[in-house]
Amino acid sequence: MSPNTGSSSIRLRRLRCCLIASACLVLIFHANAQQSSPAPAASKPSAISASGDATTVDDIQRMISRGQLSEAETRLNTLATQQPEPAGVERMRGMIYYQRNEFAAANTAFEKAIAQQSSDLQAVQMRGVTLYRMGQPAAAIPLLERANTTIASVNADGTYVLAVCYLDVHRYDDARRIFAKQYKLPDDSAASYLFVGRMLLRRNYPAESEQMARKALEIDPRLPLAHLLLGQLALSRSREADAIVEFEAERTINPMDGEVYEHLGDSYLRASRFEDAQQALNCALLLEPNATGPYILLGQVLLKRDDPLTALNYLTHAERMDPGNHLTHLMLGQAYRALGRKEDATREYKSAESIQSSSENQ
């Protein structure tokens, strides 16, 4: 067992969720900031609070930005009674629903906001993002394209969500062009193909990811990180021999990357080449002393080589760095058991089980 097995698919799903959630939160921030900028002309519509204070659209927008959603919703309901309903009210209502993860209601509010004011590109963009969060990337694309043409220079996160939608509907060239523009890469460069290959892996499209990585190497056979990606794909399919070939090729091109040695050590371990694994992981530690992976893998290798005492030193260090890793506690349990320390072994096994159960529940 290695740090990359078992929980790797869970980590990929979490990473995808974190990336999308982060992008969408920044979209909300930009929407709030842009809509809160001072207007040079007419006064804003206002709502009267229970205490008799007048509240403008901008005041409500600031409440949403501060997370005062219930109070903002109450003021919006009052403001919405005006005829005609002031521009921006439904967009802000959509923002409130979106932040509550009530996506169907948010979509309805954004749709109404666009019907009232077709030039409201923040509502257009946020409806596109909402549709994406509802699992409708094809429906989201026209809206995101429309908003993206005007405000991409202000907000790169909307561009990112559009590119991810392209990936999900298999428009890979369109996604590649967006990523290339966002990261200032030539459209048809090896780096642009590798970039979209990495994003495809994050989206759990391994076959397409491999195709893009191989295309990148056709363009530039010495492109750093391309063999690393191919090795990761091979390792995820339990093709240790293929993974070793790719990681060794990456080491030749990119000898100062600690991640390469970590993956190479993992591959050697799975292939039962324990001495090679130990050497590779020692190199990984020298390059990345703050990464827990090499310490855990070295612990596994040393347990395989019947050296539980030295393994315990590495695993204890990994536990201090990251006490919430269930695999570290599992390996510690094995080390303690090999040393005859049954109570310590039982404690570590229970810790591993507790951490893993908590992670699965989350």
Side-chain angles (χ1 to χ4, degrees), residues 276-308:
D276 290 333
Q278 188 170 345
Q279 290 175 358
L281 292 167
N282 282 332
C283 292
L285 282 182
L286 289 173
L287 291 168
E288 299 291 344
N290 296 319
T292 57
Y295 289 97
I296 300 171
L297 287 166
L298 266 171
Q300 291 179 259
V301 170
L302 290 163
L303 285 172
K304 292 290 187 181
R305 303 194 76 181
D306 198 25
D307 188 357

Side-chain angles (χ1 to χ4, degrees), residues 214-227:
R214 296 201 181 280
K215 176 65 175 178
L217 285 171
E218 286 178 16
I219 298 171
D220 183 359
R222 294 193 60 80
L223 179 68
L225 304 181
H227 287 288

Side-chain angles (χ1 to χ4, degrees), residues 91-155:
R91 172 177 40 74
M92 289 187 289
R93 192 186 304 282
M95 293 289 189
I96 292 172
Y97 287 135
Y98 184 90
Q99 293 200 48
R100 290 173 175 166
N101 292 329
E102 298 173 10
F103 298 127
N107 180 49
T108 299
F110 290 132
E111 186 176 21
K112 187 174 180 181
I114 296 166
Q116 291 176 341
Q117 186 179 8
S118 61
S119 61
D120 187 347
L121 292 182
Q122 295 294 346
V124 172
Q125 186 179 68
M126 285 307 304
R127 186 177 179 223
V129 173
T130 301
L131 286 168
Y132 173 77
R133 295 293 300 276
M134 294 171 69
Q136 301 178 40
I141 285 172
L143 295 160
L144 293 169
E145 287 177 332
R146 177 179 161 194
N148 189 58
T149 56
T150 300
I151 61 176
S153 60
V154 176
N155 187 357

Side-chain angles (χ1 to χ4, degrees), residues 265-279:
D266 188 5
S267 302
Y268 286 143
L269 172 60
R270 299 190 196 198
S272 298
R273 293 171 56 178
F274 302 131
E275 185 175 351
D276 290 333
Q278 188 170 345
Q279 290 175 358

